[in-house]
Amino acid sequence: MFSVREELAEKRCYAESLCRREATKFYREPLRQEQGGGPRGSCSALVERFAFPENELVLPDVVRKSDRDRCRGIVHELAKCLSKHKVGRAASLPNP
């Protein structure tokens, strides 16, 4: 059985090879496009922080509702793309 970290790393690998545009938005684009310093993080840092507590260091002190809403849309786009390639939980379940 894989750990959550291993499963997320595997999913990232699939995403970056099969869904490049969506993966770039999820893993690399900062939450905010504002001027100034400070941590900005990415949607992946926000969504996956339960598995990677060290991500807290790259996130802003306050995550706005607009950041969460934007990430929710990006996650949906990435999941939709991965499902087209039969990657994900449903693809690994045995057929009845």
Side-chain angles (χ1 to χ4, degrees):
M1 197 71 181
F2 291 110
S3 73
V4 172
R5 282 177 170 246
E6 290 169 327
E7 287 182 22
L8 290 172
E10 181 182 37
K11 194 165 282 189
R12 181 177 183 155
C13 184
Y14 281 122
E16 289 181 340
S17 63
L18 299 172
C19 305
R20 290 186 179 143
R21 182 182 61 82
E22 295 87 348
T24 298
K25 286 172 128 182
F26 184 68
Y27 293 105
R28 293 194 172 84
E29 284 184 7
L31 285 174
R32 299 182 192 157
Q33 305 292 332
E34 296 176 349
Q35 297 294 329
R40 295 186 293 175
S42 64
C43 286
S44 68
L46 177 63
V47 173
E48 297 175 349
R49 68 182 173 198
F50 70 93
F52 301 96
E54 62 273 16
N55 285 351
E56 291 288 339
L57 300 173
V58 298
L59 292 170
D61 292 333
V62 176
V63 178
R64 299 181 195 153
K65 182 179 179 332
S66 60
D67 294 332
R68 290 190 305 272
D69 291 345
R70 181 175 163 270
C71 287
R72 187 175 298 118
I74 291 170
V75 167
H76 181 74
E77 289 174 18
L78 181 57
K80 187 175 177 181
C81 177
L82 287 171
S83 71
K84 288 179 187 174
H85 296 284
K86 304 214 184 292
V87 174
R89 182 181 154 92
S92 64
L93 296 175
N95 289 330

